[in-house]
Amino acid sequence: MRPSDKGWFKEYLDLRKSALMNLSSPEIRRASHPEYTLYRVLQPTGLMYGQSVASMGIPDIDHWDEKEKLKILLTESLISSSLLFYDKPLNTEEDLTNAIAKTIENIGNFYNNIFPELATSTKTIFGRKKSPIELAEKVLDKRIEHASNFGGNFWIYFFHNSLLFLDVFIFGQWIHTNADRIVADFFRYEREELRFSVVKVIAAASHANKEVAMEERRLYEYFVESTDLNSERRKEALKIFEEGFSIEDINLPSENSWILKRFFLEVAILTIWADKKVEQIELDFLKQFCHYLGFSDDDLENSMISIEGFMLEHWGELEYLQDKQDYQQVSEQFIKRVNKLAEKNKTRLLKKIQENEEAVLLMKKASSNELTLEEKEKVRQQLILVLKSIPTFGILALPQQFLTLPILLKILPQNLFAEGIKE
């Protein structure tokens, strides 16, 4: 399968049918609010940050170019959103097949109506009506070709391709409406307003320390050019950036969803990270912005854990992001944050360890003998499961590769194991 070849959409569905069935299972859909589950699905993939680092279990994906990876990631994100918010039970394979067929039809209609610059004929040059999957494949090809920039570093990707997340968000609303002209006009308006909201968030975050770095200025100008805002809005955006923008003036769309507000918050965090240093005045801004969004200080901490975990998990693929000294700093900060969370949940963690017979036996052995490599890996996997018992990690994804056994021993409370293996 290559997403640049004709017929890629059908091959993708054949490859991912089992994974999509798991995502749409009644247990997953009932486990938490769909927006929390969608965040847990999307955030580790990098889509919210304009990246395409998720392998999604697809063979040979490492041999694809960035354009192909991002196309499949957007496709999977749109389908995941649709399945998580689907208004009927999905108990059987036939239910899933019908839901995906409806989603595919919605994808073509969504882009043809809400993105007029991507308008795609519903007929072939010979007059034959295209099937929904043919139309969806063509319009997604156009979307990635139109929106994406594949040269430059992490920040270029972030400030350009992160807008694809808004596609997924708006699509999640679109699928529950009747696609008439008035509805289409509303969603086109919402698309423009949400994009301008991202511009305002970036402007406010850039001015948080009262000094705009050259990197922030260059990226902001680049971002504004890539948002498809009309000329009047572009002038307004550049003026906002030059003069500064306070939190109170951001005036985000009312009744924002949880995942949209989370996206705005993480856009602000990453903007502040753009010059590779975070000052106290910028942290104060983030706290104020959190409260403006209706979030708590814990929510800010959780978003920092999400972003730092993502960076650490994919540092090799994002090696141009920061230098080694910064990696050490991010690593130490992440460990400190998660350790603080673990200390708060020590009683829960202790109970989970005591319930895990395999972990208890291996830790008892480790107190007097050296564990084999296989046993160490078993302990690592069991401790990750223990850490996942913290409610916060029902929403946040843990960086599996980064969490080596030595790192986990730093994160978990120091005397947890002694108490956990008591007779």
Side-chain angles (χ1 to χ4, degrees), residues 189-281:
Y189 171 79
E190 183 184 46
R191 172 198 170 195
E192 184 172 338
E193 288 302 301
L194 288 177
R195 287 182 169 214
F196 196 57
S197 292
V198 176
V199 168
K200 290 188 286 187
V201 168
I202 292 172
S206 296
H207 282 269
N209 64 350
K210 313 301 181 187
E211 180 183 338
V212 179
M214 183 60 69
E215 180 77 353
E216 291 171 324
R217 180 180 301 277
R218 186 175 69 85
L219 291 172
Y220 187 81
E221 291 172 354
Y222 180 86
F223 181 78
V224 169
E225 288 299 313
S226 69
T227 54
D228 289 330
L229 296 173
N230 60 44
S231 58
E232 185 178 335
R233 274 287 171 89
R234 287 188 187 186
K235 288 178 183 176
E236 185 180 351
L238 293 172
K239 182 181 178 183
I240 284 171
F241 187 74
E242 290 299 328
E243 297 178 359
F245 207 72
S246 68
I247 291 173
E248 294 75 20
D249 294 329
I250 291 178
N251 192 26
L252 297 175
S254 60
E255 299 181 5
N256 289 335
S257 73
W258 177 89
I259 195 170
L260 182 61
K261 291 192 292 185
R262 193 66 175 245
F263 173 65
F264 286 139
L265 175 59
E266 296 187 6
V267 163
I269 293 170
L270 283 165
T271 301
I272 282 173
W273 272 28
D275 60 1
K276 301 186 180 180
K277 61 182 179 180
V278 180
E279 302 171 16
Q280 185 58 49
I281 192 172

Side-chain angles (χ1 to χ4, degrees), residues 360-396:
V360 169
L361 288 172
L362 286 170
M363 284 188 291
K364 281 183 178 179
K365 181 180 177 181
S367 64
S368 57
N369 297 283
E370 178 72 18
L371 297 181
T372 66
L373 290 177
E374 184 180 351
E375 287 172 333
K376 287 179 180 178
E377 178 58 21
K378 282 185 179 178
V379 171
R380 187 182 82 89
Q381 293 295 341
Q382 295 300 327
L383 292 183
I384 288 176
L385 286 176
V386 168
L387 202 53
K388 283 182 176 179
S389 69
I390 296 176
T392 299
F393 293 115
I395 299 174
L396 308 185

Side-chain angles (χ1 to χ4, degrees), residues 8-9 13 71 74-75 78-79 100-101 103-109 111-112 120-121 130-143:
W8 63 264
F9 206 141
L13 290 174
K71 186 189 298 181
L74 175 60
T75 302
L78 291 167
I79 293 175
I100 290 176
T103 299
I104 290 169
E105 186 175 355
N106 275 323
I107 288 173
N109 290 336
Y111 281 109
N112 259 356
T120 302
S121 175
K130 292 176 184 173
S131 68
I133 200 167
E134 286 177 312
L135 182 61
E137 181 176 308
K138 185 64 178 175
V139 82
L140 286 168
D141 288 344
K142 283 188 175 183
R143 177 68 181 107

Side-chain angles (χ1 to χ4, degrees), residues 240-417:
I240 284 171
F241 187 74
E242 290 299 328
E243 297 178 359
F245 207 72
S246 68
I247 291 173
E248 294 75 20
D249 294 329
I250 291 178
N251 192 26
L252 297 175
S254 60
E255 299 181 5
N256 289 335
S257 73
W258 177 89
I259 195 170
L260 182 61
K261 291 192 292 185
R262 193 66 175 245
F263 173 65
F264 286 139
L265 175 59
E266 296 187 6
V267 163
I269 293 170
L270 283 165
T271 301
I272 282 173
W273 272 28
D275 60 1
K276 301 186 180 180
K277 61 182 179 180
V278 180
E279 302 171 16
Q280 185 58 49
I281 192 172
E282 292 173 316
L283 289 175
D284 292 341
F285 164 84
L286 289 175
K287 285 187 178 181
Q288 291 171 16
F289 188 44
C290 244
H291 299 158
Y292 171 80
L293 292 170
F295 287 148
S296 66
D297 290 348
D298 285 344
D299 291 314
L300 173 59
E301 193 73 3
N302 292 341
S303 270
M304 296 294 281
I305 288 173
S306 284
I307 290 172
E308 289 168 351
F310 173 81
M311 300 298 182
L312 294 167
E313 185 76 348
H314 300 288
W315 202 273
E317 296 147 281
L318 310 173
E319 57 188 3
Y320 40 73
L321 173 61
Q322 307 204 18
D323 60 33
K324 291 181 180 179
Q325 184 179 358
D326 289 321
Y327 174 85
Q328 187 66 26
Q329 183 180 350
V330 174
S331 174
E332 289 174 0
Q333 193 62 46
F334 177 81
I335 291 169
K336 183 179 177 182
R337 291 186 204 281
V338 182
N339 174 255
K340 185 178 177 182
L341 197 57
E343 290 286 355
K344 282 185 180 179
N345 290 271
K346 184 177 176 181
T347 302
R348 182 188 297 271
L349 294 175
L350 179 60
K351 184 173 183 293
K352 203 69 179 176
I353 281 181
Q354 291 172 334
E355 290 173 353
N356 192 318
E357 292 183 12
E358 184 175 23
V360 169
L361 288 172
L362 286 170
M363 284 188 291
K364 281 183 178 179
K365 181 180 177 181
S367 64
S368 57
N369 297 283
E370 178 72 18
L371 297 181
T372 66
L373 290 177
E374 184 180 351
E375 287 172 333
K376 287 179 180 178
E377 178 58 21
K378 282 185 179 178
V379 171
R380 187 182 82 89
Q381 293 295 341
Q382 295 300 327
L383 292 183
I384 288 176
L385 286 176
V386 168
L387 202 53
K388 283 182 176 179
S389 69
I390 296 176
T392 299
F393 293 115
I395 299 174
L396 308 185
L398 287 165
Q400 301 283 320
Q401 295 181 61
F402 173 75
L403 291 176
T404 62
L405 187 53
I407 294 290
L408 284 164
L409 295 177
K410 287 182 181 179
I411 284 174
L412 293 164
Q414 287 187 354
N415 58 348
L416 186 69
F417 306 105

